Amino acid sequence: MWLGATHGLRGEAHGNHAALRVDEARMLLDPEESSRLARFLHVEDRVSYLAAHAGARLLLGALTGRAADRLRFETSPLGKPRLVDSAKGFDFSLSHARGAVAVAAAYMPIGVDIEPLRQMSDLDEMVDIALSPEERKTLARTPEALRSRLFLRYWTLKEAILKAAGVGLAVSPHTLIVDAGPSPAVLAAPEALGPAEQWRLITAS
């Protein structure tokens, strides 16, 4: 797993070392990735996308012994990216947000998600979408100042599992129940995700 910070890489036109790294990273992308990169309106979003996709290519290239700029990708019917011509069972996942990126790879299904900590103005609406009744009760008992942080922990855990399963939001997040405490765990999962005990959760904090 690789975690990276992108703060300080925004000055693309100043000729500094960071800008050189940005230019080198761009050269690793394929035409589709370059097109998606150009569609981001904000510099922070472009840099995070670039770091995640270039970082994924460098990591996967090192793991497979192939040139990072020659790797080819396809997507599953539900949108999960896959490495073309990879070894059986090889999987990877990536996530990016303003300021940070994460990439993970393994010879088993794997998912990763990263979110910036922030106070959420739409917390109530997101809770209705993402949390089970049990999780909502836990959130309601949490001091108000900490509720956004706890919700984001729930969200990233669930998003990582759904990515690993390759189902994305085709499975409703509120049907997946997790313990978001210091030792996170899957407590219950819908049939599409298989037995709850097969899932292992690792957090960076």
Side-chain angles (χ1 to χ4, degrees):
M1 182 171 177
W2 172 70
L3 294 171
T6 60
H7 293 299
L9 299 180
R10 296 186 294 174
E12 297 183 351
H14 299 299
N16 57 19
H17 186 52
L20 176 63
R21 291 202 303 270
V22 167
D23 289 341
E24 290 175 339
R26 281 177 170 162
M27 295 177 64
L28 299 177
L29 304 187
D30 64 24
E32 181 179 353
E33 290 170 317
S34 296
S35 177
R36 291 180 63 187
L37 176 67
R39 291 199 291 269
F40 285 100
L41 298 178
H42 298 284
V43 171
E44 293 91 342
D45 296 327
R46 289 200 301 272
V47 170
S48 293
Y49 176 92
L50 176 61
H53 285 257
R57 284 179 169 274
L58 290 170
L59 178 62
L60 297 177
L63 291 174
T64 61
R66 294 152 65 181
D69 61 345
R70 299 292 182 90
L71 298 176
R72 294 185 299 116
F73 300 93
E74 59 186 5
T75 55
S76 71
L78 292 176
K80 182 171 184 176
R82 296 186 294 215
L83 181 62
V84 174
D85 298 328
S86 61
K88 184 177 180 180
F90 185 76
D91 193 24
F92 79 97
S93 180
L94 60 86
S95 180
H96 56 90
R98 290 189 180 184
V101 299
V103 183
Y107 283 92
M108 64 179 69
I110 193 167
V112 66
D113 192 55
I114 191 168
E115 289 283 344
L117 291 176
R118 62 193 185 278
Q119 288 300 117
M120 299 178 61
S121 60
D122 59 347
L123 180 61
D124 291 341
E125 293 86 347
M126 292 300 297
V127 165
D128 290 339
I129 294 170
L131 300 191
S132 69
E134 297 91 332
E135 293 163 340
R136 294 177 198 177
K137 291 178 183 177
T138 301
L139 191 71
R141 294 193 297 266
T142 301
E144 187 172 354
L146 300 177
R147 287 178 187 170
S148 288
R149 185 185 185 98
L150 177 58
F151 174 82
L152 289 166
R153 187 171 174 88
Y154 274 123
W155 179 259
T156 52
L157 291 169
K158 294 188 178 200
E159 181 78 356
I161 294 166
L162 297 175
K163 284 184 176 182
V167 298
L169 295 179
V171 170
S172 298
H174 69 263
T175 64
L176 173 63
I177 305 173
V178 301
D179 178 350
S183 299
V186 177
L187 302 179
E191 184 177 353
L193 300 184
E197 58 270 19
Q198 76 175 343
W199 295 103
R200 182 185 179 194
L201 299 175
I202 301 172
T203 62
S205 63

